[in-house]
């Protein structure tokens, strides 16, 4: 009986130890909720952030996030740099263009990629146009954005970089109407504008096959100072995004439903692009390579007064991301 | 039941052993399966590396052969990617993305095919330069994805192993506790029961037939205890019967002894006077003569006959005659020593054996005492009787040494005494001639 009592005591101690550990680990999370503002582009690419907000995953990680919607990543970036928001969602093109102007911001993580988000679209042609048909034509695009790089990259890859085209810079929401109105002959535009044009004029819209030409990534960006001083909050935000991405992978239908309701985008429109998205947290050399490519292009095409590309490595701050990936390894 | 408990212990032990074996089998199976998956990822990495080297050659040489080789490497990678059989969502997503990237590479190769004719130019604004950048970017992403898949796979394996081990540890811990409890409980029951049995047997061995072994638990030893109790009870009953029997035998033996003594007494004594009968007297005399011979001591035989007893008997009746005889016997016994032998050998004839005697004077004194006591008046309810007696004396060894001869000499001397009126006694003439010289011849 004595021995049984000893073994029972050991078992109870073990259970007690585990319980205490669990309690302590729980109590470690019992810290005050932090507040953070994220300038978010109103595109399905922001899905993980929207899901984390709607499913209160941010709250679960003790962070109160206020989402500030903007039409495009460049506006989000601007809002973040002017202090309206703490974090911004921006494409790597926005990051690249801005990196020539300033070095006081940091990429915390890339959370989505798409290889088919940018489209080169023409309108009204009965026959399938050739790329050479764009010679001496006006192409609408958003200045210093992914859309401008995409057009150039596409023409270069297809061997048509010597074509004489006239670039017409317009806000993204004005590109579609300009194309329909005949103000431009083609537009380089991102989703969901491509879908909207296709839905409105299914027979008159032509999209050049451009798969593989360009990889768009959406990234979480903060100021340099914020990245240094708000490491803990950034870890929480990235953890919540990681959890939201797991939800998207497990329950894609529910995820699309939530995004559709939040962005007030029809489910069909969402379906159009959803399969092109790869939701995952990363900050690796492929993004660096993408930035380098676009940076070299910007210098070569004199999109900047700079004569060389900045050192993009200094703009990447993966400290918070590494912490999140390491802790997810332990789960 | 101890037997059942032992079976449970055996069962738990077998279960624990099975769990250990099953855990090892599961871990081995897991290891094999994961080795295959990791091998698959490595093969894919090799295919990506091959494609990378082919693309480098293509970018460097820009000829048909390089393009053909690149496309072949691309096809091999496509084939490799199409055969993935991962089930985990995270890894499946990675491979879906890899397939997408590989498709993009395919599209870029189509563009490269068309660009072969163009003048080779380097730099990002050239087709070759942009394609190289795109190829490198995509291959870099593919390598990163594969590393990520590998990492996920290893984590997944570690997680699975951890779950299996934790599960096995928990089960083994609980099983061991259950086993320990069973063993402790069995040992306790066994020891307690055995101790009680031992104590019970010890008490029985010391002769305590009332002992009982009480075992509360229902087990094999309690059955033994029950049988022991039954055995003790029967043993107790048997012992009681034996004792009762012995007591009865003893009682009956005593009864028989008493009856025997009574019968012997009746056989050896006169019914009326309770003195020795003639036959008993003769046996006693024989023993006494032998004793006298052996020890050399002297004895005397007195033959006493009541005078006028017939008259008393006739005139007063046999009933009174009997009372007279009884009183006469009592007075005779009163007159002699307790070691002397008195007997009634006829109607009013008595004999007395005096032993030892030291001389004639001692015999005479006894005779005088007898005659005096007999002469005392006898008060009967309606009469008073005064008795007189004649005594014939034979001396051993002076007169003879044989019983018959001594009796006859005494009888003869009694008749001689009868010749004298009233109380008298008579020795043999040889005795009379040496009255004071009694000795053995």
């Amino acid at each position: 009986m004595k021995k049984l009592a000893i073994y029972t005591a050991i078992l109870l101690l073990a259970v007690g130890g585990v319980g205490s550990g669990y309690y302590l680990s729980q109590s470690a999370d019992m810290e005050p909720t932090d507040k953070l503002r994220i300038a978010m582009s109103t595109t399905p690419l922001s899905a993980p952030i929207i899901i984390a907000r709607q499913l209160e995953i941010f709250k679960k990680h003790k962070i109160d996030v206020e989402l500030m919607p903007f039409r495009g990543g460049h506006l989000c970036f601007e809002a973040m740099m002017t202090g309206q928001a703490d974090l911004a969602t921006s494409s790597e093109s926005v990051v690249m263009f801005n990196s020539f102007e300033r070095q006081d911001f940091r990429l915390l993580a890339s959370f989505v990629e798409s290889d088919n988000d940018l489209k080169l679209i023409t309108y009204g042609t009965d026959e399938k146009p050739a790329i050479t048909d764009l010679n001496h034509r006006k192409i609408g695009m958003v200045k210093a954005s992914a859309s401008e790089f995409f057009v150039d990259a596409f023409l270069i890859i297809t061997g048509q970089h010597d074509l004489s085209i006239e670039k017409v810079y317009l806000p993204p929401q004005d590109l579609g109407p300009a194309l329909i109105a005949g103000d431009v002959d083609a537009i380089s535009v991102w989703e969901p504008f491509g879908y909207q044009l296709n839905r409105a004029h299914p027979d008159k819209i032509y999209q050049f096959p451009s798969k593989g030409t360009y990889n768009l990534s959406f990234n979480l960006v903060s100021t340099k100072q914020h990245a240094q001083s708000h490491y803990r909050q950034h870890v929480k935000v990235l953890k919540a995004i990681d959890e939201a991405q797991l939800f998207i992978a497990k329950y894609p239908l529910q995820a699309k439903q939530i995004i559709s309701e939040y962005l007030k985008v029809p489910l069909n429109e969402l379906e159009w692009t959803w399969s092109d998205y790869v939701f995952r947290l990363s900050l690796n050399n492929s993004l660096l390579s993408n930035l380098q490519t676009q940076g070299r292009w910007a210098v070569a095409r004199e999109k900047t007064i700079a004569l060389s590309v900045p050192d993009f490595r200094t703009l990447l701050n993966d400290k918070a991301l590494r912490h999140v990936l390491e802790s997810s390894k332990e789960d | 039941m101890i037997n059942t408990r032992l079976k449970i212990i055996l069962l738990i032990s077998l279960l624990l052993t099975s769990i250990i074996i099953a855990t090892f089998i599961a871990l081995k199976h897991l290891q094999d399966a994961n080795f295959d998956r990791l091998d698959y990822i490595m093969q894919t990495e090799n295919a990506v590396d091959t494609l990378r080297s082919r693309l480098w050659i293509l970018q460097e040489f820009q000829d048909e052969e390089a393009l053909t080789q690149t496309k072949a490497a691309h096809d091999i990678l496509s084939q490799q990617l199409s055969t993935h059989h991962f089930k985990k969502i995270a890894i499946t997503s990675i491979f879906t993305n890899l397939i997408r990237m590989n498709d993009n590479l395919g599209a870029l190769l189509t563009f490269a095919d068309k660009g072969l004719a163009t003048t080779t130019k380097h730099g990002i604004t050239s087709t070759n330069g942009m394609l190289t950048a795109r190829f490198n970017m995509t291959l870099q992403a593919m390598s990163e994805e594969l590393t990520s898949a590998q990492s996920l796979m290893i984590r997944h394996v570690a997680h699975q192993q951890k779950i299996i081990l934790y599960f096995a540890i928990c089960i083994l811990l609980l099983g061991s506790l259950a086993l320990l409890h069973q063993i402790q409980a069995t040992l306790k029951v066994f020891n307690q029961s055995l101790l009680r049995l031992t104590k019970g047997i010890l008490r029985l061995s010391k002769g305590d037939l009332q002992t009982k072994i009480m075992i509360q638990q229902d087990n094999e030893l309690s059955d033994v205890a029950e049988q022991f109790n039954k055995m003790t009870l029967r043993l107790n009953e048997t012992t009681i019967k034996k004792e009762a029997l012995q007591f009865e035998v003893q009682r009956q033996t005593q009864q028989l002894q008493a009856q025997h003594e009574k019968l012997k007494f009746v056989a050896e004594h006169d019914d009326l006077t309770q003195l020795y009968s003639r036959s008993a007297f003769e046996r006693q005399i024989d023993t006494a003569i032998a004793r006298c011979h052996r020890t050399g001591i002297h004895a005397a035989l007195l033959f006493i006959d009541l005078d006028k007893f017939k008259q008393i008997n006739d005139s007063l009746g046999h009933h009174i005659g009997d009372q007279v005889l009884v009183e006469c016997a009592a007075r005779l016994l009163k007159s002699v020593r307790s070691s002397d032998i008195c007997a009634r050998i006829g109607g009013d004839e008595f004999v007395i054996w005096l032993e030892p005697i030291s001389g004639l004077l001692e015999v005479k004194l006894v005779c005088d005492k007898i005659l005096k006591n007999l002469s005392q008046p006898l008060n009967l309810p309606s009469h008073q009787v005064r008795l007189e007696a004649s005594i014939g004396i034979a001396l051993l060894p002076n007169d003879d040494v044989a019983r018959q001869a001594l009796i006859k000499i005494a009888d003869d001397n009694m008749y001689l005494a009868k010749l004298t009126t009233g109380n008298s006694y008579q020795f043999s003439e040889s005795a009379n001639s040496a009255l004071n010289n009694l000795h053995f011849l």
Side-chain angles (χ1 to χ4, degrees):
Chain A
M1 284 304 289
K2 196 176 175 185
K3 273 186 188 180
L4 181 67
I6 290 168
Y7 280 105
T8 311
I10 290 169
L11 186 69
L12 286 175
L13 278 173
V15 170
V18 171
S20 310
Y22 179 76
Y23 175 77
L24 287 173
S25 70
Q26 289 298 298
S27 57
D29 286 345
M30 292 172 75
E31 47 190 89
T33 304
D34 295 312
K35 287 196 172 184
L36 217 61
R37 298 159 300 165
I38 300 179
M40 180 200 71
S41 183
T42 50
T43 156
L45 288 162
S46 304
I49 292 170
I50 295 168
I51 299 276
R53 162 77 185 181
Q54 293 304 91
L55 294 181
E56 299 192 333
I57 303 173
F58 284 127
K59 273 190 185 171
K60 183 184 152 189
H61 287 276
K62 303 291 172 195
I63 185 119
D64 183 12
V65 167
E66 182 193 347
L67 294 185
M68 303 172 71
F70 287 92
R71 282 174 170 258
H74 60 295
L75 295 178
C76 295
F77 188 89
E78 198 176 302
M80 184 267 293
M81 291 311 298
T82 53
Q84 291 178 60
D86 301 306
L87 296 170
T89 62
S90 299
S91 71
E92 82 293 330
S93 299
V94 173
V95 169
M96 181 274 295
F97 279 116
N98 279 284
S99 65
F100 287 105
E101 310 294 330
R102 56 201 310 161
Q103 301 285 314
D104 57 347
F105 65 91
R106 292 291 179 265
L107 262 85
L108 302 178
S110 173
F111 57 87
V112 65
E113 281 179 42
S114 170
D115 59 2
N116 201 27
D117 203 59
L118 269 292
K119 313 276 165 55
L120 185 60
I121 296 169
T122 57
Y123 174 76
T125 48
D126 293 333
E127 289 178 12
K128 197 167 81 174
I131 301 172
T132 48
D133 294 339
L134 292 174
N135 204 16
H136 305 298
R137 300 285 182 168
K138 290 179 185 172
I139 300 180
M141 61 191 76
V142 182
K143 189 181 180 185
S145 76
S147 86
E148 187 174 2
F149 172 73
F150 170 69
V151 171
D152 259 27
F154 179 65
L155 292 176
I156 292 167
I157 282 176
T158 53
Q160 305 302 325
H161 43 84
D162 293 331
L163 286 185
S164 172
I165 58 163
E166 184 184 342
K167 291 183 178 177
V168 179
Y169 297 120
L170 292 168
Q173 67 274 17
D174 293 344
L175 287 170
L179 181 67
I180 304 301
D183 296 338
V184 291
D185 301 301
I187 56 168
S188 168
V189 71
W190 52 70
E191 295 296 350
F193 299 113
Y195 171 80
Q196 286 168 358
L197 281 171
N198 256 306
R199 197 183 54 178
H201 314 281
D203 301 328
K204 294 194 170 180
I205 291 295
Y206 177 72
Q207 181 186 321
F208 285 98
S210 55
K211 208 164 159 47
T213 307
Y214 169 68
N215 255 48
L216 176 128
S217 65
F218 238 50
N219 311 284
L220 204 59
V221 191
S222 78
T223 60
K224 180 184 175 184
Q225 194 273 330
H226 201 272
Q228 286 168 349
S229 60
H230 288 74
Y231 161 75
R232 205 167 45 80
Q233 288 89 335
H234 295 169
V235 168
K236 290 179 186 177
V237 169
L238 292 178
K239 273 187 179 173
I241 291 174
D242 194 36
E243 203 173 318
Q245 286 177 339
L246 194 66
F247 178 83
I248 292 170
K250 279 186 178 173
Y251 313 106
L253 288 176
Q254 279 175 264
K256 279 184 266 189
Q257 193 69 41
I258 292 167
I259 301 300
S260 167
E261 284 169 16
Y262 186 85
L263 294 177
K264 296 183 176 57
V265 174
L267 212 53
N268 291 343
E269 185 177 321
L270 207 59
E271 294 281 3
W272 174 264
T273 52
W274 193 265
S275 62
D276 295 329
Y277 298 157
V278 178
F279 295 106
R280 65 186 167 93
L281 280 176
S282 65
L283 201 64
N284 47 33
N285 286 348
S286 56
L287 175 68
L288 203 59
S289 177
N290 203 357
L291 285 170
Q292 285 281 97
T293 304
Q294 292 190 38
R296 290 210 300 275
W297 163 81
V299 171
R301 291 292 192 200
E302 297 177 344
K303 298 296 173 190
T304 170
I305 54 168
L307 298 174
S308 63
V309 292
D311 187 349
F312 290 111
R313 290 176 299 178
T314 60
L315 301 179
L316 306 185
N317 184 335
D318 65 351
K319 194 178 164 192
L321 179 66
R322 273 193 285 115
H323 180 93
V324 173
L325 294 180
E326 286 296 323
S327 63
S328 78
K329 270 183 194 175
E330 290 161 11
D331 293 341
Chain B
M1 299 294 275
I2 293 172
N3 197 22
T4 313
R5 284 176 181 277
L6 289 173
K7 280 179 184 170
I8 291 171
I9 288 169
L10 180 69
L11 201 69
I12 295 174
S13 305
L14 285 175
L15 188 72
L16 292 180
T17 311
S18 305
I19 288 168
I20 291 168
I21 293 169
T23 306
F24 279 115
I25 291 171
L27 285 173
K28 177 76 173 72
H29 178 73
L30 193 68
Q31 195 181 26
D32 289 347
N34 291 324
F35 179 78
D36 288 345
R37 289 183 188 127
L38 284 172
D39 187 51
Y40 174 82
I41 293 174
M42 283 175 71
Q43 283 177 20
T44 311
E45 280 175 343
N46 285 340
V48 170
D49 284 343
T50 308
L51 181 61
R52 181 180 283 118
S53 69
R54 295 285 182 274
L55 277 168
W56 181 82
I57 291 169
L58 176 66
Q59 297 309 309
E60 286 298 313
F61 299 100
Q62 290 287 309
D63 57 14
E64 280 295 338
E65 191 187 341
L67 186 65
T68 309
Q69 284 183 358
T70 308
K71 280 181 177 174
H74 177 258
D75 287 345
I76 289 169
L77 180 59
S78 302
Q79 208 175 348
Q80 172 73 13
L81 288 171
S82 67
T83 56
H84 89 83
H85 47 271
F86 290 102
K87 288 174 186 166
K88 192 171 164 58
I89 290 175
I91 300 178
T92 309
S93 303
I94 287 175
F95 272 82
T96 308
N97 194 26
L98 282 168
I99 291 167
R100 282 182 71 89
M101 288 191 264
N102 194 46
D103 289 347
N104 289 344
L105 283 176
L108 289 172
L109 279 174
T110 313
F111 293 132
D113 195 4
K114 291 173 185 168
L116 282 182
T118 60
T119 316
T120 304
K121 265 194 347 185
H122 292 286
I124 200 67
T125 53
S126 70
T127 303
N128 195 23
M130 185 58 89
L131 273 174
T132 304
R134 286 301 304 157
F135 280 139
N136 289 341
M137 203 186 304
T138 309
L139 285 168
Q140 177 67 34
M142 286 178 99
S143 292
E144 285 165 1
E145 286 290 69
L146 281 167
T147 307
S148 177
Q150 210 167 15
S151 171
L152 274 173
M153 193 66 227
I154 290 166
R155 274 156 52 191
H156 181 57
V157 173
H159 183 65
Q160 279 181 323
Q161 283 179 347
K162 199 161 75 177
I163 287 174
I164 290 172
L165 283 174
Y166 281 175
F167 179 74
I169 287 168
C170 285
I171 296 287
L172 285 175
L173 192 68
L174 291 173
S176 302
L177 280 176
L179 192 64
L180 193 71
H181 177 257
Q182 274 295 325
I183 291 171
Q184 287 285 331
T186 309
L187 206 62
K188 187 185 168 194
V189 167
F190 185 75
N191 281 343
Q192 281 181 350
S193 303
L194 202 64
L195 188 68
R196 289 183 183 194
L197 270 178
T198 311
K199 281 183 177 173
I201 291 168
L202 198 67
R203 284 197 298 272
L204 182 65
S205 71
K206 286 180 179 172
D208 180 8
L209 294 176
Q210 301 295 326
T211 187
K212 268 197 169 185
I213 299 172
M214 300 300 292
I215 293 177
Q216 305 295 333
Q217 295 88 353
D218 182 21
N219 57 38
E220 287 81 352
L221 291 177
S222 69
D223 292 346
V224 174
E226 197 182 326
Q227 294 303 321
F228 175 86
N229 291 339
K230 281 182 184 173
M231 186 187 77
T232 313
L233 192 66
R234 284 198 195 117
L235 199 61
N236 196 21
E237 285 172 2
T238 311
T239 310
I240 289 169
K241 280 179 188 170
K242 190 183 163 192
E243 281 177 355
L245 195 64
Q246 278 180 342
F247 180 75
E248 185 62 24
V249 168
Q250 198 176 358
R251 191 184 66 77
Q252 290 195 7
T253 308
Q254 282 175 350
Q255 202 173 6
L256 281 171
Q257 191 77 29
Q259 282 177 352
H260 176 71
E261 293 292 325
K262 195 175 176 184
L263 282 172
K264 192 181 171 191
F265 187 83
V266 167
E268 291 184 346
H269 291 78
D270 172 44
D271 281 347
L272 187 66
T273 63
Q274 303 299 309
L275 297 176
Y276 281 111
S277 65
R278 184 187 185 90
S279 59
F281 179 76
E282 284 175 355
R283 280 198 300 278
Q284 294 277 352
I285 295 300
D286 287 342
T287 309
I289 289 169
R291 187 168 59 240
C292 288
H293 263 295
R294 193 170 63 248
T295 56
I297 58 174
H298 300 258
L301 178 69
L302 307 185
F303 200 111
I304 302 162
D305 186 79
L306 296 180
D307 296 341
K308 302 173 188 173
F309 178 74
K310 193 170 180 304
Q311 291 172 0
I312 294 169
N313 220 13
D314 293 344
S315 59
L316 299 176
H318 289 290
H319 177 63
I320 295 298
D322 286 349
Q323 283 185 24
V324 170
L325 288 173
V326 170
E327 181 58 29
C328 188
R331 287 182 184 183
L332 285 176
L333 286 172
K334 198 178 160 188
S335 306
V336 298
R337 297 168 296 191
S338 61
S339 59
D340 297 336
I341 302 164
C342 294
R344 178 177 171 234
I345 58 171
D348 56 346
E349 292 173 343
F350 298 91
V351 284
I352 293 175
W353 180 263
L354 301 176
E355 181 195 333
I357 53 168
S358 54
L360 286 178
L361 186 60
E362 188 182 350
V363 180
K364 282 181 181 179
L365 283 172
V366 174
C367 287
D368 288 339
K369 193 177 177 184
I370 291 169
L371 292 172
K372 187 186 172 189
N373 282 338
L374 287 176
S375 300
Q376 293 295 318
L378 179 64
N379 291 317
L380 296 171
S382 53
H383 300 86
Q384 190 181 49
V385 179
R386 191 175 289 270
L387 288 173
E388 289 180 348
S390 301
I391 303 171
I393 302 156
L395 295 175
L396 177 85
N398 298 57
D399 286 329
D400 209 313
V401 291
R403 170 176 45 89
Q404 292 293 340
L406 285 169
I407 290 173
K408 186 165 183 321
I409 290 165
D411 190 26
D412 291 346
N413 287 337
M414 185 271 291
Y415 277 107
L416 286 175
K418 279 272 186 195
L419 296 174
T420 306
T421 308
N423 287 324
S424 65
Y425 55 85
Q426 180 66 49
F427 287 92
S428 301
E429 283 185 14
S430 57
N432 278 329
S433 63
L435 276 177
N436 294 311
N437 196 22
L438 184 64
H439 59 88
F440 284 99
L441 294 174

